[in-house]
């Protein structure tokens, strides 16, 4: 729509940016407004505010307690390493749009219409990427799926930095690399969310999802800073683009530190029902039998019934 409007109105880069911001504001206001009004359901509180305390104070106390457990208790190592992983990998994916736009503009000398087509390839390719991520996650489990996606991400970014070095680069080559970035983005984000939801203790979903979002945005400033620093030091922008791989590689290493996926799922189940000794014993943390693997079927987590 943006490309069509900018072509009809014959706008320059600034005019195209104004149309883009207007469309983004109207779309987000409409979608989020309707969702907030009609699609959120009532949910009972999981805990009561302690006496002689406030919701604000007790909320921060609970967050500090959870943070302490995650980063000091060895039993919570899966969550700790996962959050460290997304600090790096999600920070890199968040910065990809900014860094790639700068790269496309200054290195490949693309105009706003061409950059719009490139990002269209990213968005469209994200659809099959999401389906691919779901299939791979069901086939080999979400942890291995995320690891595989990061490998593809690093390979594509490296090849893009090698082959997209001048304005003479074929437009089709650029669009292919952009499409592969789109596949990886559509693959990685839902896989991260699915992986996280299966390794967090039951009863703390809202709290821990907030921590997940916070961790993913915490280092979003760092990849653009590194890119800018390298550019100011005189390094080629292709090296700056490839520097994203440092963050993807860091995320990959921290995911490896999680260890066995089914151990992490088992701990989450036990922790969420730790007051039920029989249930905890039935989980058999560390087991890799088919019963535990049946928790992940068809891209949906299925928890055993509690009697």
């Amino acid at each position: 729509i943006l490309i069509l409007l900018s072509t009809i109105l014959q706008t320059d880069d600034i005019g195209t940016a104004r149309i883009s911001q207007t469309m983004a504001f109207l779309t987000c206001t409409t979608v989020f407004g309707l969702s907030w009004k009609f699609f959120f359901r009532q949910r009972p509180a999981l805990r009561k505010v302690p006496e002689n305390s406030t919701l604000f104070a007790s909320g921060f106390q609970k967050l500090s307690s959870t943070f302490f457990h995650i980063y000091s208790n060895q039993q919570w190592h899966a969550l700790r390493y996962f959050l460290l992983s997304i600090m790096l990998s999600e920070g890199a994916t968040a910065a990809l749009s900014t860094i790639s736009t700068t790269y496309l503009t200054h290195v490949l000398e693309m105009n706003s219409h061409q950059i719009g087509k490139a990002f269209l390839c990213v968005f469209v390719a994200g659809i099959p990427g999401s389906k691919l991520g779901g299939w791979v996650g069901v086939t080999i489990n979400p942890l291995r799926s995320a690891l595989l996606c990061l490998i593809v991400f690093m390979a594509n970014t490296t090849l893009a930095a090698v082959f997209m070095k001048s304005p003479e680069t074929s437009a089709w080559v650029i669009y292919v690399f952009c499409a592969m970035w789109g596949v990886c983005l559509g693959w990685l984000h839902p896989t991260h969310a699915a992986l996280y939801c299966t390794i967090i203790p039951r009863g703390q979903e809202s709290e821990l999802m907030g921590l997940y979002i916070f961790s993913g945005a915490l280092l979003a400033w760092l990849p653009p800073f590194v890119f800018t620093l390298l550019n100011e030091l005189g390094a080629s922008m292709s090296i700056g683009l490839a520097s994203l791989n440092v963050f993807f590689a860091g995320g990959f290493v921290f995911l490896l530190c999680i260890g066995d996926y089914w151990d992490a799922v088992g701990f989450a189940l036990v922790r969420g029902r730790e007051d039920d000794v029989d249930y905890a014993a039935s989980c058999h943390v560390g087991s890799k039998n088919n019963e535990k693997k049946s928790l992940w079927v068809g891209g949906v987590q299925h928890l055993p019934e509690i009697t």
Side-chain angles (χ1 to χ4, degrees):
I1 296 174
L2 175 63
I3 296 173
L4 180 62
L5 287 175
S6 61
T7 301
I8 295 174
L9 298 176
Q10 296 183 344
T11 57
D12 55 12
D13 290 350
I14 295 177
T16 302
R18 288 171 177 168
I19 296 174
S20 173
Q21 291 299 309
T22 302
M23 289 176 58
F25 172 77
L26 293 175
T27 302
C28 291
T29 301
T30 302
V31 173
F32 284 114
L34 290 174
S35 300
W36 183 271
K37 179 67 175 177
F38 297 107
F39 300 126
F40 282 103
R41 296 176 292 179
Q42 292 293 327
R43 177 177 177 178
L46 295 176
R47 294 177 178 84
K48 293 182 179 180
V49 177
E51 294 183 5
N52 302 320
S53 183
T54 63
L55 180 63
F56 183 82
S58 61
F60 273 98
Q61 289 172 357
K62 185 65 176 67
L63 280 172
S64 63
S65 174
T66 302
F67 183 85
F68 174 80
H69 279 297
I70 291 175
Y71 286 96
S72 64
N73 192 329
Q74 184 57 30
Q75 288 183 314
W76 291 67
H77 75 280
L79 276 179
R80 176 169 67 250
Y81 288 125
F82 178 81
L83 292 175
L84 289 171
S85 173
I86 65 168
M87 284 182 190
L88 296 174
S89 58
E90 294 280 351
T93 58
L96 181 61
S97 60
T98 303
I99 292 176
S100 61
T101 300
T102 303
Y103 193 87
L104 295 175
T105 302
H106 294 283
V107 176
L108 304 182
E109 298 180 2
M110 298 177 72
N111 57 39
S112 59
H113 289 230
Q114 293 170 320
I115 293 175
K117 293 177 182 177
F119 277 96
L120 179 62
C121 292
V122 173
F123 297 143
V124 172
I127 299 173
S130 181
K131 299 296 291 183
L132 175 64
W135 177 79
V136 176
V138 172
T139 305
I140 62 175
N141 83 45
L143 177 58
R144 292 176 181 173
S145 177
L147 289 168
L148 180 59
C149 181
L150 288 174
I151 292 174
V152 176
F153 230 136
M154 288 186 285
N156 188 68
T157 304
T158 301
L159 292 174
V162 171
F163 290 103
M164 299 194 310
K165 284 189 173 181
S166 68
E168 287 74 30
T169 304
S170 171
W172 288 108
V173 173
I174 298 172
Y175 295 148
V176 167
F177 281 118
C178 288
M180 281 304 302
W181 273 323
V183 169
C184 291
L185 289 171
W187 179 353
L188 187 63
H189 291 312
T191 301
H192 271 167
L195 171 57
Y196 189 67
C197 288
T198 58
I199 64 174
I200 59 176
R202 308 300 166 250
Q204 295 179 254
E205 292 88 352
S206 298
E207 174 190 5
L208 291 173
M209 284 306 297
L211 191 59
Y212 168 79
I213 296 171
F214 171 77
S215 298
L218 185 62
L219 295 182
W221 58 273
L222 189 54
F225 174 78
V226 173
F227 180 83
T228 304
L229 180 62
L230 290 172
N231 184 62
E232 292 298 316
L233 292 175
S236 169
M237 279 196 179
S238 60
I239 297 177
L241 179 63
S243 68
L244 287 171
N245 285 336
V246 174
F247 300 93
F248 290 132
F252 181 88
V253 171
F254 280 126
L255 282 183
L256 285 177
C257 293
I258 291 176
D260 185 77
Y261 170 69
W262 300 110
D263 283 354
V265 173
F267 171 73
L269 291 174
V270 174
R271 179 73 187 183
R273 298 291 187 271
E274 60 184 355
D275 56 332
D276 189 326
V277 178
D278 291 335
Y279 179 88
S282 69
C283 286
H284 298 298
V285 181
S287 169
K288 303 176 184 178
N289 55 28
N290 291 332
E291 178 183 354
K292 183 171 282 190
K293 292 188 178 183
S294 68
L295 294 171
W296 188 267
V297 179
V300 179
Q301 185 192 23
H302 299 275
L303 301 180
E305 293 293 332
I306 302 174
T307 57

